[in-house]
């Protein structure tokens, strides 16, 4: 007879011994769950008595992670995200308006130092175009935080933006600096090629003769795209300006190592109120915008939904944000608060609500109810992350244009923005607010 494929440690399922041991295993499993419940209850009691909610949070997170690993899942939704400790961004834009069309190109380089010791370097390149009309004339120069200008113009436009995004995850600061320099040379070379009418080979040869190294950039760890539409109208009368604008963009990116894909829907500040409320009732003055990101595994299964809102804080980090009660570290005019709510879509109860929103997209009458259910689920089962940054910004450039229906003119602009982490808090689903000691402790690194 052929040898049995069953493990010699496991008795036949139908035997009396197998039935007895199966029953014993069930009892042992129940006992384990009972012990876990007692530990969680004890941890919560101790945390409440000592005011240290992090104890119960840590036990809950550990159990959630263990159950995910035991189930053989992707576990992306249970992974701890590193905080951005410091970031610096340099952006440039060149625009030309001619007749009833405005065209522009832009490039942005972002460097982010993370709390786990790694550095993210992001390069965004894009182009935009818009049908436009205006009346008036103006010109000006900006130097740093200030500038001078004259004239007034009223305009309306519908801007279409397309962009390419690449991200490199770098092991440390020195490697990131080398990559930033290589990206700068690469961008300058491609601009020179474009200005030379596509004569890339001669330009590269001249660069070699001049001793300028133009290495090819390594493959990005993430690559993606974005597209968006912005509608705006502005009127300037007697030195006063009134502007109305709304912008929506959709983008996606893919991680080379894991195959995970993210799809991002972003709204500007004037259109982001509903998303902000969904992210835990956050209310920010001067909101910078909101976004919703869904992350999928390589087979297309949704793993995580992240709803984020950013803007200037009201007095006290928690004031108006639903943040940590009693925390009075207020934010100034140069501060930026970001609040993100993550919903684990590998949990069936969360997935049902998410699927309801997806199905309602084909029936607009059901969409408000589905979104309300999702907002409620985010508040009940979402993990909250709240960070505050001190920011600084400077813009340099010049612009001049005139219009009488059709427009003629141009602008060039260079801006630099920096952010430094001031505070960071987290609250797991069903838990309490606690400071992100892993992030705050790494600020001096």
């Amino acid at each position: 007879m052929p040898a049995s494929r069953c493990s010699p440690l496991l008795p036949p399922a139908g035997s009396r011994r197998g039935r007895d041991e199966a029953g014993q295993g069930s009892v042992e499993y129940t006992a384990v769950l009972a012990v876990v419940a007692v530990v969680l209850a004890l941890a919560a009691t101790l945390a409440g008595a000592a005011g240290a909610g992090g104890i119960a949070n840590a036990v809950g997170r550990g159990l959630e992670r263990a159950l995910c690993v035991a189930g053989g899942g992707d576990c992306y939704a249970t992974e701890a995200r590193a905080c951005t400790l410091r970031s610096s961004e340099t952006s440039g834009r060149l625009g030309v308006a001619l007749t009833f069309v405005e065209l522009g190109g832009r490039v942005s380089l972002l460097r982010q130092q993370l709390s786990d010791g790694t550095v993210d370097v992001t390069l965004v390149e894009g182009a935009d175009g818009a049908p436009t009309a205006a009346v008036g004339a103006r010109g000006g120069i900006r130097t740093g935080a200030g500038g001078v200008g004259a004239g007034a113009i009223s305009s309306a436009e519908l801007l279409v933006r397309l962009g390419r995004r690449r991200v490199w995850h770098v092991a440390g600061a020195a490697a990131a600096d080398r990559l930033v320099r290589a990206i700068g040379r690469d961008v300058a070379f491609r601009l020179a090629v474009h200005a030379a009418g596509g004569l890339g080979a001669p330009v590269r040869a001249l660069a070699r003769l001049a001793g300028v190294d133009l290495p090819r950039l390594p493959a990005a760890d993430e690559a993606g795209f974005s597209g968006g539409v912005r509608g705006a109208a502005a009127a300037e009368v007697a030195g006063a300006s009134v502007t109305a604008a709304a912008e929506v963009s959709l983008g996606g990116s893919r991680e080379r190592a894991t195959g995970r894909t993210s799809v991002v829907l972003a709204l500007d500040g004037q259109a982001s109120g509903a998303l902000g409320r969904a992210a835990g009732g956050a209310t920010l003055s001067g909101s910078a915008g909101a976004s919703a990101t869904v992350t999928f595994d390589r087979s297309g299964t949704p793993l995580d939904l992240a709803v984020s809102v950013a803007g200037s804080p009201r007095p006290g980090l928690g004031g108006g944000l639903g943040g940590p009660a009693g925390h009075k570290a207020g934010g100034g005019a140069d501060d930026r608060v970001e609040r993100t709510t993550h919903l684990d879509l590998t949990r069936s109860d969360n997935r049902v609500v998410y699927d309801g929103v997806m199905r309602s997209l084909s029936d607009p009458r059901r969409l408000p109810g589905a979104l309300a259910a999702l907002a409620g689920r985010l508040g009940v089962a979402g993990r909250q992350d709240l960070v505050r940054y001190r920011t600084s910004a400077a813009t340099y450039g010049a612009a001049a244009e005139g219009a009488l229906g059709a427009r003629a003119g141009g602008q060039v602009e260079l801006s630099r923005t920096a952010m430094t982490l001031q505070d960071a808090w987290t609250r797991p689903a069903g838990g309490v607010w606690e400071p992100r000691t892993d992030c705050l402790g790494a600020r001096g690194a």
Side-chain angles (χ1 to χ4, degrees), residues 403-419:
L404 185 59
R407 302 173 69 172
Q411 64 172 339
V412 58
E413 184 177 274
L414 177 68
S415 61
R416 293 194 175 101
T417 304
M419 298 198 308

Side-chain angles (χ1 to χ4, degrees), residues 184-195:
R185 291 194 295 269
D186 178 78
V187 171
F189 169 73
R190 285 187 285 114
L191 287 175
V193 169
H194 181 73

Side-chain angles (χ1 to χ4, degrees), residues 16 39 53 113 173 398 430 433 444:
R16 178 176 179 180
V39 170
Q113 181 182 342
W433 285 104

Side-chain angles (χ1 to χ4, degrees), residues 217-244:
L217 296 179
D221 297 295
E222 294 182 36
F225 71 94
S226 64
V229 177
R230 179 179 187 270
E236 299 182 14
V237 180
S241 177
V242 179
T243 302

Side-chain angles (χ1 to χ4, degrees), residues 74-170:
D74 185 279
C75 300
Y76 172 80
T78 65
E79 295 174 2
R81 271 71 163 182
C83 296
T84 298
L85 302 180
R86 284 173 286 275
S87 70
S88 59
E89 181 176 16
T90 301
S91 301
R93 185 182 187 277
L94 177 65
V96 176
L98 185 63
T99 66
F100 293 96
V101 177
E102 181 180 2
L103 300 175
R106 64 189 188 281
V107 61
S108 173
L109 184 61
L110 173 65
R111 185 185 191 277
Q112 297 169 291
Q113 181 182 342
L114 305 181
S115 56
D116 61 3
T118 63
V119 180
D120 281 357
V121 177
T122 304
L123 176 64
V124 178
E125 300 169 285
D128 49 58
T132 179
V135 175
R138 66 180 175 186
I141 298 176
R142 297 199 63 178
T143 56
V148 294
I153 191 167
S154 298
S155 63
E157 64 182 18
L158 182 64
L159 187 69
V160 178
R161 288 176 170 166
L162 297 174
R164 177 192 182 195
R165 176 176 176 269
R166 287 180 285 173
V167 183
W168 291 266
H169 306 309
V170 187

Side-chain angles (χ1 to χ4, degrees), residues 144-364:
V148 294
I153 191 167
S154 298
S155 63
E157 64 182 18
L158 182 64
L159 187 69
V160 178
R161 288 176 170 166
L162 297 174
R164 177 192 182 195
R165 176 176 176 269
R166 287 180 285 173
V167 183
W168 291 266
H169 306 309
V170 187
D177 291 341
R178 289 193 296 271
L179 177 59
V180 167
R181 289 193 293 269
I183 291 174
R185 291 194 295 269
D186 178 78
V187 171
F189 169 73
R190 285 187 285 114
L191 287 175
V193 169
H194 181 73
L199 301 177
V203 171
R204 187 177 287 276
L206 288 174
R208 279 202 215 84
L209 290 175
V212 179
D213 185 22
L214 295 173
R216 297 196 179 278
L217 296 179
D221 297 295
E222 294 182 36
F225 71 94
S226 64
V229 177
R230 179 179 187 270
E236 299 182 14
V237 180
S241 177
V242 179
T243 302
E247 182 173 351
V248 59
S249 64
L250 181 67
S253 63
R254 185 177 181 86
E255 295 181 7
R256 184 162 52 93
T258 65
R260 293 174 185 149
T261 301
S262 295
V263 177
V264 183
L265 172 67
L267 305 175
D268 78 339
Q270 297 182 33
S272 60
L275 270 180
R277 289 188 293 273
T283 54
L284 298 169
S285 61
S287 177
S291 65
T293 303
V294 182
T295 302
F296 303 84
D297 66 12
R298 63 174 66 250
S299 64
T301 302
L303 303 175
D304 178 76
L305 167 66
V307 179
S308 300
V309 61
S312 303
R314 299 187 187 280
L317 180 61
L321 289 169
H327 187 73
K328 301 302 182 184
D334 295 329
D335 281 8
R336 172 187 173 96
V337 169
E338 298 177 2
R339 177 167 182 158
T340 303
T341 304
H342 287 274
L343 190 66
D344 182 356
L345 298 181
T346 64
R347 286 180 46 176
S348 59
D349 48 356
N350 295 339
R351 177 67 183 273
V352 167
V353 179
Y354 167 81
D355 288 342
V357 174
M358 294 299 102
R359 286 193 297 270
S360 69
L361 294 178
S362 61
D363 185 356

Side-chain angles (χ1 to χ4, degrees), residues 23-41 59 63 66-67 70:
Q24 181 181 356
S26 177
V27 172
E28 290 175 350
Y29 181 69
T30 303
V32 169
L33 291 181
V35 171
V36 170
V38 170
V39 170
L40 287 175
V59 173
L63 178 62
L67 291 175

